[in-house]
Amino acid sequence: MHEIITLQLGQRSNYVATHFWNLQESYFTYNAGEESPVNHDVHFRPGLGADGTETFTPRTIIYDLKGGFGSLKKYNALYQMEEESSMPRGLWDGNEVIQQQPQIPQSEYQKSLDLGLTPPPLISETVRYWSDFNRVFYHPRSIVQLNDYELNSRLMPFENWEVGEELFNDLDKEHDLLDRDVRPFAEECDQLRALQIFSGTDDAWGGFSARYIDRLRDEYGKTSIWLWGLEDGAKVQRQKQILRSINVAKSISAISPQVSLYTPIMDPPHPLPTYLNIDLQSEWYKSALITSSIESATLPSRLRQYHDIEAALAGDDGTHRIFELKASIVPEASENPAGSSRTEAEAAGSLAEDDGIDENAKFDINFSYIDPAGRHHTFNEIQVARGFEFARADEPWLENSTLARRQRLFNSQSALQRFDTGLRLPILDSFPRNLFADSRPEAGIKVHAALAATSAVADRIKALQAIAGRAVGVDEREALVNGLGEIRETYEQGWMSDLDSGEDD
């Protein structure tokens, strides 16, 4: 068994991860003899509830600020008997006055789930917190509230990178977070495969996750770490935008050299295709779009027939770790995974290639800062096509993917690999039903997603270097700018001369 432990850091990350867990729960099968194509042991852990019944809960640790969990309690129906009945009195013998904040009422959706009834349709106005549309039970060890800061506080905003860094250091000195929170999950694993982290990178959560990853890398030196770095794409005042950019620069400099996969995600992406119906004021809508792409791009890591997505992510040299996330929702009538931007004839020609890879596929949802009209070199790309039925004879990349990659390397081509599955993206009742205009909730949707390491990263880092050179204090400016410069060089070397020579012909 090859397990993955997930860490969720902050409110935006928890919105994305809640959609992710709802999707994983939907893949469970309950009929005798019916096996799900998804291996649930990768992300879920077996256990025993308070009454001795068997449980199956996500292998995740959820961090959020005070007030960020909504109506979700640490102890749920599976573990409520474990909750302490009263606080220890200690040495105080006097009278006690307990002051409690009013509890946040459950949403009607959650009330219906608890009663086993069909829940009412969700809308933006009824989703106040990520727990309002959560469909799974968590182990009590998964719930970690950070009481030092309060959600959406104006008095002590959780915005500066250094604030998150300081908070982690203080908590780690007091509790040893790895020993308290991560180790119990890790010790349950037969063979820990990866640590998956959802985190903001343009606010204080970037500093928190950077220091957390330092500790994880020291403890789990050879384990893959995947970070999904969320960045707020909403327009704000210039001073606040500069602060966000500095936070992103520090996150990239501190985190990307330590992880196997660093994927910056602009929330929401720009531009948005016309087939999306999205409420830009709703985290519920925006996170649903992000999760549909992340879950599709990483689906091979959970499918029973695939085992080598880590090798595909590493590429041929393992040096390019910053990836772009992109996707297309494919129309129902389309029989190919080339995305809604391409014609049937173009796709058919591409699928006839020796390795089955469509390296010219166009994706109309791009969560990075990449100019689609710009010329960029692709070092490594993974494509995942879901919802399509292929004959085995038409899938040479499944049997000979290693040979195909070696042949591409010999021909000085980009490292590309595609995974295919007939499993569609489900449209759950916890998901915005009208997000995709051409969707059929009862059937699910076809998705073509990709993770790509390209030279466009160099352009983004160059822009961050310029901002850091002007706005960061003298005491840390040089180290930050030089660190970004070293990362930038990785995405410039070895291809620019070839591109330049082609332009001279």
Side-chain angles (χ1 to χ4, degrees), residues 28-46:
F28 278 87
T29 55
Y30 301 97
N31 297 327
E34 183 182 2
E35 184 181 57
S36 171
V38 173
N39 183 357
H40 305 298
D41 291 325
V42 172
H43 281 290
F44 283 77
R45 54 171 297 280

Side-chain angles (χ1 to χ4, degrees), residues 300-311:
S301 68
R302 297 178 288 282
L303 293 178
R304 298 183 187 278
Q305 70 265 40
Y306 296 123
H307 305 283
D308 62 345
I309 189 173
E310 285 84 3

Side-chain angles (χ1 to χ4, degrees), residues 343-361:
T343 65
E344 297 285 336
E346 289 175 319
S350 137
L351 291 174
E353 294 176 357
D354 290 341
D355 57 3
I357 297 297
D358 181 7
E359 60 181 296
N360 297 313

Side-chain angles (χ1 to χ4, degrees), residues 217-264:
R217 184 50 75 204
D218 289 342
E219 185 72 18
Y220 306 101
K222 296 183 179 180
T223 303
S224 295
I225 300 178
W226 306 340
L227 181 119
W228 308 97
L230 303 174
E231 303 176 23
D232 194 340
K235 292 184 178 180
V236 293
Q237 294 180 349
R238 183 173 181 273
Q239 198 62 32
K240 192 168 186 177
Q241 184 58 55
I242 291 176
L243 174 62
R244 288 180 179 176
S245 297
I246 293 174
N247 290 338
V248 170
K250 292 178 179 179
S251 295
I252 291 177
S253 177
I255 297 175
S256 65
Q258 299 261 60
V259 299
S260 314
L261 169 75
Y262 181 108
T263 307

Side-chain angles (χ1 to χ4, degrees), residues 472-479:
V472 175
V474 177
D475 54 338
E476 57 179 337
R477 180 190 305 160
E478 183 176 358

Side-chain angles (χ1 to χ4, degrees), residues 109-119:
Y109 184 87
Q110 288 297 326
K111 290 179 181 178
S112 299
L113 290 180
D114 289 346
L115 295 172
L117 304 176
T118 301

Side-chain angles (χ1 to χ4, degrees), residues 320-488:
H320 302 104
R321 303 174 181 181
I322 303 178
F323 284 74
E324 306 163 27
L325 174 65
K326 47 191 178 180
S328 284
I329 308 303
V330 184
E332 182 62 31
S334 178
E335 297 181 357
N336 68 84
S340 57
S341 300
R342 307 194 66 233
T343 65
E344 297 285 336
E346 289 175 319
S350 137
L351 291 174
E353 294 176 357
D354 290 341
D355 57 3
I357 297 297
D358 181 7
E359 60 181 296
N360 297 313
K362 296 181 180 179
F363 299 87
D364 46 22
I365 306 174
N366 196 318
F367 292 90
S368 66
Y369 312 86
I370 308 309
D371 177 10
R375 295 189 63 189
H376 304 296
H377 175 75
T378 299
F379 300 104
N380 184 27
E381 183 168 345
I382 298 172
Q383 295 181 15
V384 179
R386 65 183 304 178
F388 303 90
E389 299 295 339
F390 293 97
R392 189 70 184 178
D394 295 333
E395 298 180 326
W397 55 90
L398 293 181
E399 298 177 350
N400 303 313
S401 58
T402 302
L403 177 62
R405 290 172 68 85
R406 289 177 178 175
Q407 185 175 8
R408 299 183 71 85
L409 178 62
F410 180 79
N411 295 332
S412 299
Q413 294 177 288
S414 304
L416 291 101
Q417 186 164 335
R418 197 176 77 199
F419 301 86
D420 296 282
T421 174
L423 181 64
R424 296 189 176 208
L425 176 72
I427 303 297
L428 311 177
D429 57 21
S430 61
F431 203 86
R433 306 284 281 184
N434 65 336
L435 178 59
F436 307 115
D438 190 37
S439 66
R440 294 188 302 167
E442 68 281 0
I445 58 175
K446 301 176 181 178
V447 182
H448 191 198
L451 289 167
T454 76
S455 60
V457 171
D459 297 336
R460 171 58 175 161
I461 294 180
K462 181 179 180 180
L464 291 173
Q465 279 183 287
I467 295 173
R470 297 192 307 266
V472 175
V474 177
D475 54 338
E476 57 179 337
R477 180 190 305 160
E478 183 176 358
L480 178 58
V481 172
N482 290 343
L484 290 171
E486 292 176 3
I487 298 170
R488 174 185 166 188

